[in-house]
Amino acid sequence: QVQLAESGGGLVQAGGSLRLSCAASGRAFSRSTGGWFRQAPGKEREFVAAISASGSTYYSDSVKGRFTISRDNAKNTVYLQMNSLQSEDTANYCCALDTQWFSGRYSHRSDYDYWGQGTQVTVSS
């Protein structure tokens, strides 16, 4: 089984930056799709970004141009670099992993096999 551990969340002022990390266990990481989702209080979880095993990246319109997803297979880690943070970005951020070969589906909760516990990002206005 796969265990995911997020880190890097915290409090930042609007316009600032944070880098989230998601460290995964298991041997299947290099062929897996990694994703980031976020959920604010009272709102449904929404897709943020995804990266395939080949390195193709996908972003929601709300973060495109500000966030960058990347991966380091040697460290079994997916990263989310967040720049130009706004108050609307405040949420609990969770990483997810799809251990099957990339199917072209990446933006829904049901597209992933494993989930981390989450890390809180708070942006002050």
Side-chain angles (χ1 to χ4, degrees):
Q1 294 185 341
V2 175
Q3 302 284 338
L4 303 179
E6 301 103 331
S7 62
L11 176 65
V12 64
Q13 292 186 344
S17 299
L18 284 175
R19 189 192 193 194
L20 305 183
S21 298
C22 175
S25 66
R27 297 181 178 180
F29 180 83
S30 62
R31 65 174 179 84
S32 301
T33 298
W36 287 95
F37 290 75
R38 66 186 183 185
Q39 186 171 26
K43 296 183 178 180
E44 294 185 354
R45 183 169 296 179
E46 65 173 343
F47 168 75
V48 176
I51 183 167
S52 71
S54 65
S56 297
T57 57
Y58 309 88
Y59 299 94
S60 69
D61 290 337
S62 62
V63 307
K64 193 174 299 181
R66 299 188 298 120
F67 291 9
T68 302
I69 188 171
S70 61
R71 65 191 298 156
D72 186 341
N73 289 343
K75 296 181 178 180
N76 271 23
T77 302
V78 177
Y79 302 96
L80 185 68
Q81 178 67 45
M82 305 183 294
N83 298 327
S84 302
L85 285 164
Q86 307 296 320
S87 60
E88 292 80 12
D89 297 315
T90 295
N92 182 268
Y93 285 71
C94 292
C95 68
L97 202 69
D98 178 9
T99 59
Q100 299 179 0
W101 289 104
F102 185 54
S103 65
R105 304 182 187 277
Y106 53 83
S107 61
H108 295 85
R109 203 180 210 279
S110 60
D111 297 328
Y112 296 87
D113 304 309
Y114 300 97
W115 291 83
Q117 190 172 4
T119 184
Q120 180 66 35
V121 172
T122 302
V123 183
S124 62
S125 59

